[in-house]
Amino acid sequence: DAGVTQSPTHLIKTRGQQVTLRCSPKSGHDTVSWYQQALGQGPQFIFQYYEEEERQRGNFPDRFSGHQFPNYSSELNVNALLLGDSALYLCASSLSAGPGGQYFGPGTRLTVL
Amino acid sequence: AQSVTQLDSHVSVSEGTPVLLRCNYSSSYSPSLFWYVQHPNKGLQLLLKYTSAATLVKGINGFEAEFKKSETSFHLTKPSAHMSDAAEYFCVVSDKTSYDKVIFGPGTSLSVIP
């Protein structure tokens, strides 16, 4: 079992550009959540996808959007990048009908210059 | 609304001595509670979880936590610290009635002195 995988591991973009991050959930999991972790802080919830729809969302602007595919993998898209979007982006997967607990991927480090 | 408070931003212990990382939570419903560990430049690893079964929860690497509803606490302990325990620890609360939306605490950085 490969666990949760994310790509790419690192990414450098400039202000105003757009970026797409990818996540494959742990085998058997059907729910994917995305988090932003700024340096020295705890992860902040961005949104969660289940059955290919956004089920809930944190306090992030519409520049942040996502998608879930039929195989449960997911993408996070960020438009019009700002310097403040520089962070570690974490993907977590879980089983909707399970007892709780999310399994995290290693993250994608995004640097906006 | 849910929230998590980790009472210490940094804890330093000597190798072989006990570890105590404190966490208090606020939740409108019966919560699920978790502890995650994050080593430098690594992702988050689930240490243990409480989901309304036994109040004393045992996790990996010798860690355990006790759910105390009256005190709204979920402190993480380990009898004897190891150098490899040095990392950032996050207490997390989630509410099954809101589809596992989770709230992270600010984290506690654990240093282990040889």
Side-chain angles (χ1 to χ4, degrees), chain A residues 35 37 40-43 45 48 55-58 88 90 94-107 109, chain B residues 32 34 36 38 41-46 49-51 88 90 92 94-96 98-107:
Chain A
Y35 297 83
Q37 186 178 22
Q41 297 183 21
F45 174 74
Q48 182 183 83
R55 184 159 68 174
Q56 54 181 325
R57 189 179 183 92
L88 180 68
L90 295 162
S94 56
L95 183 60
S96 182
Q102 299 183 355
Y103 291 83
F104 284 80
R109 173 72 63 187
Chain B
S32 295
F34 311 84
Y36 286 85
Q38 186 175 36
N41 299 313
K42 300 282 189 180
L44 288 152
Q45 181 183 20
L46 179 64
K49 61 184 177 183
Y50 166 78
T51 55
E88 190 82 16
F90 293 97
V92 175
S94 111
D95 171 8
K96 287 294 285 184
S98 62
Y99 303 112
D100 270 339
K101 181 177 179 180
V102 298
I103 304 296
F104 277 76

Side-chain angles (χ1 to χ4, degrees), chain A residues 4-77:
Chain A
V4 180
T5 60
Q6 292 185 244
S7 63
T9 54
H10 294 85
L11 205 50
I12 299 174
K13 293 286 188 179
T14 56
R15 281 179 297 175
Q17 285 189 313
Q18 179 264 344
V19 68
T20 297
L21 310 181
R22 295 176 176 84
C23 171
S24 292
K26 181 178 170 66
S27 178
H29 284 182
D30 58 8
T31 303
V32 174
S33 303
W34 287 92
Y35 297 83
Q36 180 194 67
Q37 186 178 22
L39 201 61
Q41 297 183 21
Q44 300 293 315
F45 174 74
I46 302 174
F47 44 53
Q48 182 183 83
Y49 276 84
Y50 173 69
E51 292 190 341
E52 302 180 49
E53 292 191 358
E54 183 182 292
R55 184 159 68 174
Q56 54 181 325
R57 189 179 183 92
N59 189 25
F60 278 80
D62 291 344
R63 298 187 298 109
F64 289 77
S65 63
H67 188 78
Q68 186 180 36
F69 299 94
N71 66 354
Y72 307 120
S73 66
S74 177
E75 290 181 349
L76 164 65
N77 301 291

Side-chain angles (χ1 to χ4, degrees), chain B:
Chain B
Q2 301 170 88
S3 66
V4 179
T5 302
Q6 291 185 243
L7 299 164
D8 306 293
S9 59
H10 184 81
V11 170
S12 183
V13 301
S14 297
E15 189 176 18
T17 64
V19 176
L20 170 63
L21 305 182
R22 297 182 293 169
C23 171
N24 287 91
Y25 70 91
S26 172
S27 177
S28 302
Y29 302 95
S30 295
S32 295
L33 294 159
F34 311 84
W35 277 97
Y36 286 85
V37 61
Q38 186 175 36
H39 288 90
N41 299 313
K42 300 282 189 180
L44 288 152
Q45 181 183 20
L46 179 64
L47 274 179
L48 51 78
K49 61 184 177 183
Y50 166 78
T51 55
S52 74
T55 56
L56 182 62
V57 182
K58 294 188 183 298
I60 61 172
N61 301 333
F63 284 95
E64 63 182 37
E66 185 172 7
F67 172 69
K68 292 186 177 181
K69 186 175 181 179
S70 61
E71 299 176 9
T72 61
S73 69
F74 191 58
H75 300 334
L76 181 71
T77 61
K78 183 174 180 177
S80 176
H82 191 272
M83 294 298 294
S84 61
D85 295 328
E88 190 82 16
Y89 290 79
F90 293 97
C91 182
V92 175
V93 62
S94 111
D95 171 8
K96 287 294 285 184
T97 64
S98 62
Y99 303 112
D100 270 339
K101 181 177 179 180
V102 298
I103 304 296
F104 277 76
T108 297
S109 176
L110 175 66
S111 298
V112 181
I113 303 167

